[in-house]
Amino acid sequence: QVHLAESGGGSVQAGGSLTLSCQILINPFSSYCMHWFRQAPGKEREGVAGIYSFGGKTYYADSVKGRFTISHDSAKKMLYLQMNSLKVEDTAMYYCASTGGGSWHLCGPRQYEYPFWGQGTQVTVSS
């Protein structure tokens, strides 16, 4: 059984920062991918940042490189997304997702690789 639950969304002015959290309850003896996706109104859902539970390899979309940082605390069973220098175009519903298992090559932004999803948390960036 895998359970994911996001928190930490909110409203912020452009240039500000937010940290999203996601509790991931999953088999502690498996290796798996975790990813943050987002979906803005009228747009397709896109991958933002991913991380592998073993070794901490990361992936970032070009649009967030240098501004967002993904991290994982396995002891606390938490996934984080530190978002700095936020832009109006970062406004979206943010979702955490997990493959539940598998190797690093699954950790990219391909949504079909992720069978487990949280309910989402809204991030709104105003100018």
mmCIF file with all atom_site columns, all heavy atoms in Angstrom, residues 101-122:
data_model
loop_
_atom_site.group_PDB
_atom_site.id
_atom_site.type_symbol
_atom_site.label_atom_id
_atom_site.label_alt_id
_atom_site.label_comp_id
_atom_site.label_asym_id
_atom_site.label_entity_id
_atom_site.label_seq_id
_atom_site.pdbx_PDB_ins_code
_atom_site.Cartn_x
_atom_site.Cartn_y
_atom_site.Cartn_z
_atom_site.occupancy
_atom_site.B_iso_or_equiv
_atom_site.pdbx_formal_charge
_atom_site.auth_seq_id
_atom_site.auth_comp_id
_atom_site.auth_asym_id
_atom_site.auth_atom_id
_atom_site.pdbx_PDB_model_num
ATOM 1   N N   . GLY A 1 101 ? 8.421  1.672  -6.897  1.00 0.00 ? 101 GLY A N   1
ATOM 2   C CA  . GLY A 1 101 ? 9.509  0.708  -7.060  1.00 0.00 ? 101 GLY A CA  1
ATOM 3   C C   . GLY A 1 101 ? 10.248 1.011  -8.343  1.00 0.00 ? 101 GLY A C   1
ATOM 4   O O   . GLY A 1 101 ? 9.970  1.995  -9.024  1.00 0.00 ? 101 GLY A O   1
ATOM 5   N N   . GLY A 1 102 ? 11.216 0.144  -8.694  1.00 0.00 ? 102 GLY A N   1
ATOM 6   C CA  . GLY A 1 102 ? 11.902 0.318  -9.961  1.00 0.00 ? 102 GLY A CA  1
ATOM 7   C C   . GLY A 1 102 ? 13.212 1.056  -9.840  1.00 0.00 ? 102 GLY A C   1
ATOM 8   O O   . GLY A 1 102 ? 13.634 1.455  -8.763  1.00 0.00 ? 102 GLY A O   1
ATOM 9   N N   . SER A 1 103 ? 13.860 1.256  -10.967 1.00 0.00 ? 103 SER A N   1
ATOM 10  C CA  . SER A 1 103 ? 15.188 1.843  -10.989 1.00 0.00 ? 103 SER A CA  1
ATOM 11  C C   . SER A 1 103 ? 15.146 3.323  -11.359 1.00 0.00 ? 103 SER A C   1
ATOM 12  O O   . SER A 1 103 ? 14.086 3.877  -11.694 1.00 0.00 ? 103 SER A O   1
ATOM 13  C CB  . SER A 1 103 ? 16.070 1.092  -11.988 1.00 0.00 ? 103 SER A CB  1
ATOM 14  O OG  . SER A 1 103 ? 15.512 1.171  -13.285 1.00 0.00 ? 103 SER A OG  1
ATOM 15  N N   . TRP A 1 104 ? 16.331 3.950  -11.328 1.00 0.00 ? 104 TRP A N   1
ATOM 16  C CA  . TRP A 1 104 ? 16.461 5.378  -11.571 1.00 0.00 ? 104 TRP A CA  1
ATOM 17  C C   . TRP A 1 104 ? 15.928 5.794  -12.936 1.00 0.00 ? 104 TRP A C   1
ATOM 18  O O   . TRP A 1 104 ? 15.414 6.879  -13.118 1.00 0.00 ? 104 TRP A O   1
ATOM 19  C CB  . TRP A 1 104 ? 17.923 5.803  -11.415 1.00 0.00 ? 104 TRP A CB  1
ATOM 20  C CG  . TRP A 1 104 ? 18.268 7.073  -12.121 1.00 0.00 ? 104 TRP A CG  1
ATOM 21  C CD1 . TRP A 1 104 ? 19.038 7.219  -13.216 1.00 0.00 ? 104 TRP A CD1 1
ATOM 22  C CD2 . TRP A 1 104 ? 17.805 8.393  -11.777 1.00 0.00 ? 104 TRP A CD2 1
ATOM 23  N NE1 . TRP A 1 104 ? 19.093 8.553  -13.585 1.00 0.00 ? 104 TRP A NE1 1
ATOM 24  C CE2 . TRP A 1 104 ? 18.358 9.279  -12.728 1.00 0.00 ? 104 TRP A CE2 1
ATOM 25  C CE3 . TRP A 1 104 ? 16.985 8.897  -10.767 1.00 0.00 ? 104 TRP A CE3 1
ATOM 26  C CZ2 . TRP A 1 104 ? 18.125 10.654 -12.678 1.00 0.00 ? 104 TRP A CZ2 1
ATOM 27  C CZ3 . TRP A 1 104 ? 16.747 10.266 -10.723 1.00 0.00 ? 104 TRP A CZ3 1
ATOM 28  C CH2 . TRP A 1 104 ? 17.320 11.124 -11.675 1.00 0.00 ? 104 TRP A CH2 1
ATOM 29  N N   . HIS A 1 105 ? 16.040 4.930  -13.928 1.00 0.00 ? 105 HIS A N   1
ATOM 30  C CA  . HIS A 1 105 ? 15.653 5.337  -15.277 1.00 0.00 ? 105 HIS A CA  1
ATOM 31  C C   . HIS A 1 105 ? 14.165 5.648  -15.380 1.00 0.00 ? 105 HIS A C   1
ATOM 32  O O   . HIS A 1 105 ? 13.714 6.229  -16.365 1.00 0.00 ? 105 HIS A O   1
ATOM 33  C CB  . HIS A 1 105 ? 16.040 4.260  -16.302 1.00 0.00 ? 105 HIS A CB  1
ATOM 34  C CG  . HIS A 1 105 ? 15.081 3.115  -16.378 1.00 0.00 ? 105 HIS A CG  1
ATOM 35  N ND1 . HIS A 1 105 ? 15.113 2.046  -15.503 1.00 0.00 ? 105 HIS A ND1 1
ATOM 36  C CD2 . HIS A 1 105 ? 14.050 2.875  -17.221 1.00 0.00 ? 105 HIS A CD2 1
ATOM 37  C CE1 . HIS A 1 105 ? 14.152 1.211  -15.816 1.00 0.00 ? 105 HIS A CE1 1
ATOM 38  N NE2 . HIS A 1 105 ? 13.484 1.678  -16.849 1.00 0.00 ? 105 HIS A NE2 1
ATOM 39  N N   . LEU A 1 106 ? 13.402 5.289  -14.354 1.00 0.00 ? 106 LEU A N   1
ATOM 40  C CA  . LEU A 1 106 ? 11.972 5.608  -14.341 1.00 0.00 ? 106 LEU A CA  1
ATOM 41  C C   . LEU A 1 106 ? 11.687 6.996  -13.790 1.00 0.00 ? 106 LEU A C   1
ATOM 42  O O   . LEU A 1 106 ? 10.535 7.437  -13.810 1.00 0.00 ? 106 LEU A O   1
ATOM 43  C CB  . LEU A 1 106 ? 11.226 4.573  -13.496 1.00 0.00 ? 106 LEU A CB  1
ATOM 44  C CG  . LEU A 1 106 ? 11.284 3.125  -13.956 1.00 0.00 ? 106 LEU A CG  1
ATOM 45  C CD1 . LEU A 1 106 ? 10.559 2.234  -12.960 1.00 0.00 ? 106 LEU A CD1 1
ATOM 46  C CD2 . LEU A 1 106 ? 10.704 2.975  -15.339 1.00 0.00 ? 106 LEU A CD2 1
ATOM 47  N N   . CYS A 1 107 ? 12.716 7.698  -13.289 1.00 0.00 ? 107 CYS A N   1
ATOM 48  C CA  . CYS A 1 107 ? 12.495 8.909  -12.500 1.00 0.00 ? 107 CYS A CA  1
ATOM 49  C C   . CYS A 1 107 ? 12.327 10.181 -13.315 1.00 0.00 ? 107 CYS A C   1
ATOM 50  O O   . CYS A 1 107 ? 12.402 11.270 -12.757 1.00 0.00 ? 107 CYS A O   1
ATOM 51  C CB  . CYS A 1 107 ? 13.629 9.101  -11.498 1.00 0.00 ? 107 CYS A CB  1
ATOM 52  S SG  . CYS A 1 107 ? 13.694 7.820  -10.231 1.00 0.00 ? 107 CYS A SG  1
ATOM 53  N N   . GLY A 1 108 ? 12.105 10.075 -14.590 1.00 0.00 ? 108 GLY A N   1
ATOM 54  C CA  . GLY A 1 108 ? 11.878 11.258 -15.398 1.00 0.00 ? 108 GLY A CA  1
ATOM 55  C C   . GLY A 1 108 ? 10.437 11.721 -15.313 1.00 0.00 ? 108 GLY A C   1
ATOM 56  O O   . GLY A 1 108 ? 9.662  11.263 -14.482 1.00 0.00 ? 108 GLY A O   1
ATOM 57  N N   . PRO A 1 109 ? 10.053 12.640 -16.192 1.00 0.00 ? 109 PRO A N   1
ATOM 58  C CA  . PRO A 1 109 ? 8.737  13.275 -16.122 1.00 0.00 ? 109 PRO A CA  1
ATOM 59  C C   . PRO A 1 109 ? 7.625  12.535 -16.859 1.00 0.00 ? 109 PRO A C   1
ATOM 60  O O   . PRO A 1 109 ? 6.598  13.133 -17.197 1.00 0.00 ? 109 PRO A O   1
ATOM 61  C CB  . PRO A 1 109 ? 8.998  14.629 -16.784 1.00 0.00 ? 109 PRO A CB  1
ATOM 62  C CG  . PRO A 1 109 ? 10.037 14.322 -17.819 1.00 0.00 ? 109 PRO A CG  1
ATOM 63  C CD  . PRO A 1 109 ? 10.920 13.272 -17.195 1.00 0.00 ? 109 PRO A CD  1
ATOM 64  N N   . ARG A 1 110 ? 7.786  11.263 -17.116 1.00 0.00 ? 110 ARG A N   1
ATOM 65  C CA  . ARG A 1 110 ? 6.762  10.499 -17.833 1.00 0.00 ? 110 ARG A CA  1
ATOM 66  C C   . ARG A 1 110 ? 5.686  10.077 -16.838 1.00 0.00 ? 110 ARG A C   1
ATOM 67  O O   . ARG A 1 110 ? 5.892  9.195  -16.009 1.00 0.00 ? 110 ARG A O   1
ATOM 68  C CB  . ARG A 1 110 ? 7.391  9.288  -18.516 1.00 0.00 ? 110 ARG A CB  1
ATOM 69  C CG  . ARG A 1 110 ? 8.441  9.664  -19.565 1.00 0.00 ? 110 ARG A CG  1
ATOM 70  C CD  . ARG A 1 110 ? 9.177  8.439  -20.089 1.00 0.00 ? 110 ARG A CD  1
ATOM 71  N NE  . ARG A 1 110 ? 9.938  7.784  -19.046 1.00 0.00 ? 110 ARG A NE  1
ATOM 72  C CZ  . ARG A 1 110 ? 11.159 8.133  -18.673 1.00 0.00 ? 110 ARG A CZ  1
ATOM 73  N NH1 . ARG A 1 110 ? 11.743 9.148  -19.273 1.00 0.00 ? 110 ARG A NH1 1
ATOM 74  N NH2 . ARG A 1 110 ? 11.782 7.489  -17.710 1.00 0.00 ? 110 ARG A NH2 1
ATOM 75  N N   . GLN A 1 111 ? 4.536  10.665 -16.915 1.00 0.00 ? 111 GLN A N   1
ATOM 76  C CA  . GLN A 1 111 ? 3.491  10.459 -15.912 1.00 0.00 ? 111 GLN A CA  1
ATOM 77  C C   . GLN A 1 111 ? 3.045  9.008  -15.809 1.00 0.00 ? 111 GLN A C   1
ATOM 78  O O   . GLN A 1 111 ? 2.682  8.543  -14.726 1.00 0.00 ? 111 GLN A O   1
ATOM 79  C CB  . GLN A 1 111 ? 2.296  11.350 -16.232 1.00 0.00 ? 111 GLN A CB  1
ATOM 80  C CG  . GLN A 1 111 ? 2.623  12.826 -16.183 1.00 0.00 ? 111 GLN A CG  1
ATOM 81  C CD  . GLN A 1 111 ? 1.437  13.680 -16.544 1.00 0.00 ? 111 GLN A CD  1
ATOM 82  O OE1 . GLN A 1 111 ? 0.333  13.477 -16.058 1.00 0.00 ? 111 GLN A OE1 1
ATOM 83  N NE2 . GLN A 1 111 ? 1.651  14.659 -17.415 1.00 0.00 ? 111 GLN A NE2 1
ATOM 84  N N   . TYR A 1 112 ? 3.073  8.285  -16.932 1.00 0.00 ? 112 TYR A N   1
ATOM 85  C CA  . TYR A 1 112 ? 2.582  6.920  -16.914 1.00 0.00 ? 112 TYR A CA  1
ATOM 86  C C   . TYR A 1 112 ? 3.452  5.988  -16.081 1.00 0.00 ? 112 TYR A C   1
ATOM 87  O O   . TYR A 1 112 ? 3.059  4.878  -15.752 1.00 0.00 ? 112 TYR A O   1
ATOM 88  C CB  . TYR A 1 112 ? 2.439  6.376  -18.340 1.00 0.00 ? 112 TYR A CB  1
ATOM 89  C CG  . TYR A 1 112 ? 3.721  6.364  -19.153 1.00 0.00 ? 112 TYR A CG  1
ATOM 90  C CD1 . TYR A 1 112 ? 4.637  5.330  -19.040 1.00 0.00 ? 112 TYR A CD1 1
ATOM 91  C CD2 . TYR A 1 112 ? 4.004  7.393  -20.048 1.00 0.00 ? 112 TYR A CD2 1
ATOM 92  C CE1 . TYR A 1 112 ? 5.796  5.324  -19.785 1.00 0.00 ? 112 TYR A CE1 1
ATOM 93  C CE2 . TYR A 1 112 ? 5.169  7.394  -20.792 1.00 0.00 ? 112 TYR A CE2 1
ATOM 94  C CZ  . TYR A 1 112 ? 6.061  6.352  -20.653 1.00 0.00 ? 112 TYR A CZ  1
ATOM 95  O OH  . TYR A 1 112 ? 7.212  6.351  -21.391 1.00 0.00 ? 112 TYR A OH  1
ATOM 96  N N   . GLU A 1 113 ? 4.656  6.455  -15.724 1.00 0.00 ? 113 GLU A N   1
ATOM 97  C CA  . GLU A 1 113 ? 5.531  5.639  -14.884 1.00 0.00 ? 113 GLU A CA  1
ATOM 98  C C   . GLU A 1 113 ? 5.115  5.696  -13.411 1.00 0.00 ? 113 GLU A C   1
ATOM 99  O O   . GLU A 1 113 ? 5.627  4.941  -12.597 1.00 0.00 ? 113 GLU A O   1
ATOM 100 C CB  . GLU A 1 113 ? 6.984  6.135  -14.991 1.00 0.00 ? 113 GLU A CB  1
ATOM 101 C CG  . GLU A 1 113 ? 7.559  6.160  -16.398 1.00 0.00 ? 113 GLU A CG  1
ATOM 102 C CD  . GLU A 1 113 ? 8.014  4.782  -16.867 1.00 0.00 ? 113 GLU A CD  1
ATOM 103 O OE1 . GLU A 1 113 ? 7.643  3.772  -16.239 1.00 0.00 ? 113 GLU A OE1 1
ATOM 104 O OE2 . GLU A 1 113 ? 8.716  4.721  -17.893 1.00 0.00 ? 113 GLU A OE2 1
ATOM 105 N N   . TYR A 1 114 ? 4.188  6.603  -13.070 1.00 0.00 ? 114 TYR A N   1
ATOM 106 C CA  . TYR A 1 114 ? 3.854  6.884  -11.671 1.00 0.00 ? 114 TYR A CA  1
ATOM 107 C C   . TYR A 1 114 ? 2.421  6.467  -11.358 1.00 0.00 ? 114 TYR A C   1
ATOM 108 O O   . TYR A 1 114 ? 1.476  7.207  -11.637 1.00 0.00 ? 114 TYR A O   1
ATOM 109 C CB  . TYR A 1 114 ? 4.042  8.370  -11.371 1.00 0.00 ? 114 TYR A CB  1
ATOM 110 C CG  . TYR A 1 114 ? 5.468  8.831  -11.515 1.00 0.00 ? 114 TYR A CG  1
ATOM 111 C CD1 . TYR A 1 114 ? 5.989  9.175  -12.761 1.00 0.00 ? 114 TYR A CD1 1
ATOM 112 C CD2 . TYR A 1 114 ? 6.317  8.896  -10.416 1.00 0.00 ? 114 TYR A CD2 1
ATOM 113 C CE1 . TYR A 1 114 ? 7.314  9.579  -12.910 1.00 0.00 ? 114 TYR A CE1 1
ATOM 114 C CE2 . TYR A 1 114 ? 7.640  9.306  -10.543 1.00 0.00 ? 114 TYR A CE2 1
ATOM 115 C CZ  . TYR A 1 114 ? 8.122  9.642  -11.793 1.00 0.00 ? 114 TYR A CZ  1
ATOM 116 O OH  . TYR A 1 114 ? 9.431  10.028 -11.930 1.00 0.00 ? 114 TYR A OH  1
ATOM 117 N N   . PRO A 1 115 ? 2.229  5.300  -10.764 1.00 0.00 ? 115 PRO A N   1
ATOM 118 C CA  . PRO A 1 115 ? 0.871  4.853  -10.445 1.00 0.00 ? 115 PRO A CA  1
ATOM 119 C C   . PRO A 1 115 ? 0.303  5.445  -9.159  1.00 0.00 ? 115 PRO A C   1
ATOM 120 O O   . PRO A 1 115 ? -0.903 5.328  -8.904  1.00 0.00 ? 115 PRO A O   1
ATOM 121 C CB  . PRO A 1 115 ? 1.034  3.334  -10.294 1.00 0.00 ? 115 PRO A CB  1
ATOM 122 C CG  . PRO A 1 115 ? 2.454  3.141  -9.891  1.00 0.00 ? 115 PRO A CG  1
ATOM 123 C CD  . PRO A 1 115 ? 3.233  4.245  -10.542 1.00 0.00 ? 115 PRO A CD  1
ATOM 124 N N   . PHE A 1 116 ? 1.159  6.075  -8.356  1.00 0.00 ? 116 PHE A N   1
ATOM 125 C CA  . PHE A 1 116 ? 0.702  6.564  -7.054  1.00 0.00 ? 116 PHE A CA  1
ATOM 126 C C   . PHE A 1 116 ? 0.820  8.091  -7.000  1.00 0.00 ? 116 PHE A C   1
ATOM 127 O O   . PHE A 1 116 ? 1.893  8.650  -7.261  1.00 0.00 ? 116 PHE A O   1
ATOM 128 C CB  . PHE A 1 116 ? 1.528  5.927  -5.927  1.00 0.00 ? 116 PHE A CB  1
ATOM 129 C CG  . PHE A 1 116 ? 1.520  4.429  -5.973  1.00 0.00 ? 116 PHE A CG  1
ATOM 130 C CD1 . PHE A 1 116 ? 2.628  3.729  -6.409  1.00 0.00 ? 116 PHE A CD1 1
ATOM 131 C CD2 . PHE A 1 116 ? 0.388  3.726  -5.587  1.00 0.00 ? 116 PHE A CD2 1
ATOM 132 C CE1 . PHE A 1 116 ? 2.624  2.346  -6.465  1.00 0.00 ? 116 PHE A CE1 1
ATOM 133 C CE2 . PHE A 1 116 ? 0.361  2.344  -5.635  1.00 0.00 ? 116 PHE A CE2 1
ATOM 134 C CZ  . PHE A 1 116 ? 1.481  1.654  -6.079  1.00 0.00 ? 116 PHE A CZ  1
ATOM 135 N N   . TRP A 1 117 ? -0.295 8.744  -6.628  1.00 0.00 ? 117 TRP A N   1
ATOM 136 C CA  . TRP A 1 117 ? -0.377 10.208 -6.654  1.00 0.00 ? 117 TRP A CA  1
ATOM 137 C C   . TRP A 1 117 ? -1.015 10.745 -5.390  1.00 0.00 ? 117 TRP A C   1
ATOM 138 O O   . TRP A 1 117 ? -1.888 10.096 -4.786  1.00 0.00 ? 117 TRP A O   1
ATOM 139 C CB  . TRP A 1 117 ? -1.223 10.662 -7.856  1.00 0.00 ? 117 TRP A CB  1
ATOM 140 C CG  . TRP A 1 117 ? -0.576 10.386 -9.170  1.00 0.00 ? 117 TRP A CG  1
ATOM 141 C CD1 . TRP A 1 117 ? -0.497 9.173  -9.817  1.00 0.00 ? 117 TRP A CD1 1
ATOM 142 C CD2 . TRP A 1 117 ? 0.092  11.313 -10.008 1.00 0.00 ? 117 TRP A CD2 1
ATOM 143 N NE1 . TRP A 1 117 ? 0.178  9.309  -11.002 1.00 0.00 ? 117 TRP A NE1 1
ATOM 144 C CE2 . TRP A 1 117 ? 0.549  10.626 -11.146 1.00 0.00 ? 117 TRP A CE2 1
ATOM 145 C CE3 . TRP A 1 117 ? 0.345  12.686 -9.914  1.00 0.00 ? 117 TRP A CE3 1
ATOM 146 C CZ2 . TRP A 1 117 ? 1.255  11.251 -12.180 1.00 0.00 ? 117 TRP A CZ2 1
ATOM 147 C CZ3 . TRP A 1 117 ? 1.040  13.304 -10.945 1.00 0.00 ? 117 TRP A CZ3 1
ATOM 148 C CH2 . TRP A 1 117 ? 1.488  12.584 -12.061 1.00 0.00 ? 117 TRP A CH2 1
ATOM 149 N N   . GLY A 1 118 ? -0.596 11.953 -5.008  1.00 0.00 ? 118 GLY A N   1
ATOM 150 C CA  . GLY A 1 118 ? -1.271 12.673 -3.951  1.00 0.00 ? 118 GLY A CA  1
ATOM 151 C C   . GLY A 1 118 ? -2.446 13.451 -4.512  1.00 0.00 ? 118 GLY A C   1
ATOM 152 O O   . GLY A 1 118 ? -2.711 13.425 -5.718  1.00 0.00 ? 118 GLY A O   1
ATOM 153 N N   . GLN A 1 119 ? -3.120 14.190 -3.634  1.00 0.00 ? 119 GLN A N   1
ATOM 154 C CA  . GLN A 1 119 ? -4.329 14.897 -4.038  1.00 0.00 ? 119 GLN A CA  1
ATOM 155 C C   . GLN A 1 119 ? -4.040 16.284 -4.602  1.00 0.00 ? 119 GLN A C   1
ATOM 156 O O   . GLN A 1 119 ? -4.921 16.900 -5.194  1.00 0.00 ? 119 GLN A O   1
ATOM 157 C CB  . GLN A 1 119 ? -5.290 15.023 -2.840  1.00 0.00 ? 119 GLN A CB  1
ATOM 158 C CG  . GLN A 1 119 ? -4.955 16.128 -1.851  1.00 0.00 ? 119 GLN A CG  1
ATOM 159 C CD  . GLN A 1 119 ? -3.754 15.829 -0.967  1.00 0.00 ? 119 GLN A CD  1
ATOM 160 O OE1 . GLN A 1 119 ? -3.192 14.741 -0.995  1.00 0.00 ? 119 GLN A OE1 1
ATOM 161 N NE2 . GLN A 1 119 ? -3.368 16.815 -0.171  1.00 0.00 ? 119 GLN A NE2 1
ATOM 162 N N   . GLY A 1 120 ? -2.825 16.770 -4.415  1.00 0.00 ? 120 GLY A N   1
ATOM 163 C CA  . GLY A 1 120 ? -2.430 18.059 -4.962  1.00 0.00 ? 120 GLY A CA  1
ATOM 164 C C   . GLY A 1 120 ? -2.508 19.191 -3.952  1.00 0.00 ? 120 GLY A C   1
ATOM 165 O O   . GLY A 1 120 ? -3.286 19.143 -2.995  1.00 0.00 ? 120 GLY A O   1
ATOM 166 N N   . THR A 1 121 ? -1.680 20.200 -4.167  1.00 0.00 ? 121 THR A N   1
ATOM 167 C CA  . THR A 1 121 ? -1.703 21.407 -3.346  1.00 0.00 ? 121 THR A CA  1
ATOM 168 C C   . THR A 1 121 ? -1.497 22.607 -4.274  1.00 0.00 ? 121 THR A C   1
ATOM 169 O O   . THR A 1 121 ? -0.654 22.574 -5.167  1.00 0.00 ? 121 THR A O   1
ATOM 170 C CB  . THR A 1 121 ? -0.638 21.348 -2.233  1.00 0.00 ? 121 THR A CB  1
ATOM 171 O OG1 . THR A 1 121 ? -0.787 22.473 -1.361  1.00 0.00 ? 121 THR A OG1 1
ATOM 172 C CG2 . THR A 1 121 ? 0.783  21.344 -2.786  1.00 0.00 ? 121 THR A CG2 1
ATOM 173 N N   . GLN A 1 122 ? -2.272 23.661 -4.053  1.00 0.00 ? 122 GLN A N   1
ATOM 174 C CA  . GLN A 1 122 ? -2.277 24.799 -4.966  1.00 0.00 ? 122 GLN A CA  1
ATOM 175 C C   . GLN A 1 122 ? -1.168 25.789 -4.614  1.00 0.00 ? 122 GLN A C   1
ATOM 176 O O   . GLN A 1 122 ? -0.990 26.149 -3.442  1.00 0.00 ? 122 GLN A O   1
ATOM 177 C CB  . GLN A 1 122 ? -3.635 25.514 -4.914  1.00 0.00 ? 122 GLN A CB  1
ATOM 178 C CG  . GLN A 1 122 ? -3.730 26.749 -5.788  1.00 0.00 ? 122 GLN A CG  1
ATOM 179 C CD  . GLN A 1 122 ? -3.696 26.432 -7.273  1.00 0.00 ? 122 GLN A CD  1
ATOM 180 O OE1 . GLN A 1 122 ? -4.246 25.430 -7.712  1.00 0.00 ? 122 GLN A OE1 1
ATOM 181 N NE2 . GLN A 1 122 ? -3.044 27.295 -8.053  1.00 0.00 ? 122 GLN A NE2 1
#
